[in-house]
Amino acid sequence: MQRTRTAILDAAARLLSCRPDAAIAEIADEAGVGRATLYRHFPTRESLQQGVAEVGIAEIVDAFEAAGLDELPADRAIARITAVVMRNGAKYAAVISQTSAELCDPADLDRATKPLREVVDRGIRDGVLRDDLRGETMFMMFAAVLERALFLTIGDQMTPEEATEVALAIFLDGARNPVATRRIG
Amino acid sequence: MQRTRTAILDAAARLLSCRPDAAIAEIADEAGVGRATLYRHFPTRESLQQGVAEVGIAEIVDAFEAAGLDELPADRAIARITAVVMRNGAKYAAVISQTSAELCDPADLDRATKPLREVVDRGIRDGVLRDDLRGETMFMMFAAVLERALFLTIGDQMTPEEATEVALAIFLDGARNPVATRRIG
DNA sequence: CCGTCATGAGACACGCATGTCTCATGACGG
DNA sequence: CCGTCATGAGACATGCGTGTCTCATGACGG
């Protein structure tokens, strides 16, 4: 019974992250259950999407909480966040893919993004990160890089480790060749 | 007649960039035309989407061609690309939002992304960009940053100038505070 | 004025996704 | 064995989006 529910949520997350408009019938197939069964567990499409969002967010939030971000300098915390997202973010990807933010509780979304914002703000305050860009702006760019990297792992274009390395390299240090900069400076 | 067609394409680009599943009736309303008129110009939803993609790609490709990228060092060319996308990419955003890549000619998509790949590859070769990441990977991160910045302009969260500045700062030089690095080094 | 063309409104057909429900079946526990 | 529960398959209803088409109207040029 719980196993069926979990199978449905897993299948929904897999399909909805790549195709937000995947049909209920497809999700039921992917889960290996009948359509009627899916509706018995999730009476509407919306409740299924909310279920996926809750699980996806809970997983990422739990992983952040276990990550001890507050005990690390901001750049190290950013590295940890990146690794966590690449390893635990598969269901969260479905949340990203959902076109309508109303499908998940705004408070929940805040819980998922708050650690990122806090680390970015702390980094700016502590002088670890540049302070010529607003924290909110920097958070948005961080999210963009993370999300793209996450989808590259989901599409099997990269391992989580590769994606972590790439996202960190670009977000923290940028594309410019530091050796070239040193030569000029 | 041509004015109607253009109005439809403009409206479609506006709606489809934010909501790829916007209904034809909505697009017709947004364009200020009847639904039957829309179908007279674009006989299927797919042909409308293809029309939007063609226009969006043509605009960005034309802007890249006019930008003289080859005459600039890679980092300056990246800056120029970024500015061009922020100013000319509104319709191209609808291409990005389309979930199915089949809706536009792969050759066209190549035309739009080729300048970015070439500049990245050139930058790595010339030592302007770091060479510890593959060119393809760096291109993907560049695209992620550009696309997010573009959507921030479309959503009126930033001006094209602000978005250009932010995207460049993060992509080229990263979030790390160079002063802090210097202190340690 | 007439003919042509582009257009809007509205009606219709169709397919598909969502949601609802029934019936039969299998698994399980008492 | 019987009762209960979870489930799958299938049928049905509904709504909505896509596509098709007709008719009336207005604009324009000859």
Side-chain angles (χ1 to χ4, degrees):
Chain A
M1 202 188 74
Q2 184 64 23
R3 280 187 38 222
T4 304
R5 190 177 197 272
T6 300
I8 293 167
L9 285 169
D10 288 350
R14 276 197 304 277
L15 283 184
L16 293 174
S17 63
C18 307
R19 269 191 304 114
D21 60 343
I24 298 284
E26 281 184 86
I27 294 167
D29 272 358
E30 174 81 15
V33 304
R35 209 159 58 80
T37 300
L38 195 152
Y39 277 106
R40 287 186 191 106
H41 286 267
F42 299 94
T44 61
R45 184 185 181 86
E46 185 176 345
S47 63
L48 176 61
Q49 285 170 320
Q50 284 169 345
V52 169
E54 276 164 26
V55 173
I57 288 172
E59 283 186 7
I60 208 88
V61 169
D62 289 348
F64 284 155
E65 278 166 9
L69 302 178
D70 292 339
E71 300 149 23
L72 299 171
D75 53 350
R76 299 290 297 281
I78 282 167
R80 183 87 44 98
I81 286 173
T82 306
V84 160
V85 171
M86 297 308 126
R87 269 190 265 108
N88 300 81
K91 291 198 182 65
Y92 187 69
V95 181
I96 298 167
S97 294
Q98 280 173 173
T99 49
S100 177
E102 316 135 25
L103 289 176
C104 77
D105 188 339
D108 275 349
L109 212 41
D110 267 357
R111 280 171 63 224
T113 57
K114 189 173 163 200
L116 279 71
R117 293 174 197 272
E118 286 181 343
V119 166
V120 166
D121 287 342
R122 174 155 60 92
I124 292 171
R125 212 166 45 234
D126 293 353
V128 177
L129 302 180
R130 61 197 294 166
D131 64 356
D132 57 328
L133 305 178
R134 290 184 301 131
E136 183 62 20
T137 301
M138 200 177 286
F139 157 71
M140 285 192 252
M141 291 293 116
F142 186 30
V145 170
L146 280 188
E147 286 164 21
R148 183 58 56 95
L150 178 59
F151 280 105
L152 289 173
T153 66
I154 286 170
D156 287 321
Q157 288 161 270
M158 282 192 198
T159 64
E161 290 72 39
E162 286 171 325
T164 299
E165 184 199 345
V166 166
L168 263 185
I170 294 291
F171 179 66
L172 277 186
D173 299 305
R176 208 186 301 263
N177 186 342
V179 175
T181 307
R182 288 234 196 94
R183 256 200 237 113
I184 292 169
Chain B
M1 199 187 74
Q2 184 63 24
R3 281 185 40 216
T4 303
R5 189 177 197 275
T6 300
I8 292 167
L9 285 170
D10 287 350
R14 278 198 303 275
L15 283 184
L16 293 173
S17 63
C18 305
R19 271 190 303 115
D21 60 344
I24 297 286
E26 282 183 86
I27 294 168
D29 272 356
E30 173 81 14
V33 304
R35 209 160 59 82
T37 301
L38 195 151
Y39 277 107
R40 287 189 192 106
H41 288 266
F42 299 95
T44 59
R45 181 184 184 91
E46 184 176 347
S47 65
L48 176 60
Q49 286 171 319
Q50 283 169 347
V52 170
E54 276 164 26
V55 174
I57 287 171
E59 283 187 6
I60 208 90
V61 168
D62 288 348
F64 284 155
E65 277 165 11
L69 303 177
D70 290 342
E71 301 150 22
L72 299 170
D75 53 351
R76 302 290 298 280
I78 282 166
R80 183 80 53 92
I81 285 172
T82 306
V84 160
V85 171
M86 296 308 127
R87 270 191 264 109
N88 300 79
K91 291 198 182 67
Y92 186 70
V95 181
I96 297 167
S97 294
Q98 280 173 172
T99 48
S100 177
E102 315 134 27
L103 288 177
C104 78
D105 189 338
D108 274 350
L109 211 40
D110 266 359
R111 280 172 65 223
T113 57
K114 190 173 162 199
L116 279 72
R117 291 172 197 274
E118 285 181 345
V119 166
V120 165
D121 287 341
R122 175 159 58 93
I124 293 171
R125 212 167 47 233
D126 292 352
V128 178
L129 302 180
R130 61 198 295 167
D131 64 358
D132 57 329
L133 305 178
R134 290 184 302 132
E136 183 61 21
T137 301
M138 201 178 285
F139 157 71
M140 286 192 250
M141 290 294 117
F142 185 29
V145 170
L146 279 189
E147 286 164 22
R148 181 60 55 93
L150 177 60
F151 280 105
L152 291 173
T153 67
I154 286 169
D156 288 321
Q157 289 164 270
M158 282 195 199
T159 64
E161 291 72 40
E162 286 171 325
T164 299
E165 186 200 342
V166 166
L168 264 184
I170 294 289
F171 179 67
L172 276 185
D173 299 305
R176 205 187 301 263
N177 186 343
V179 177
T181 306
R182 286 231 197 99
R183 260 202 233 113
I184 293 170

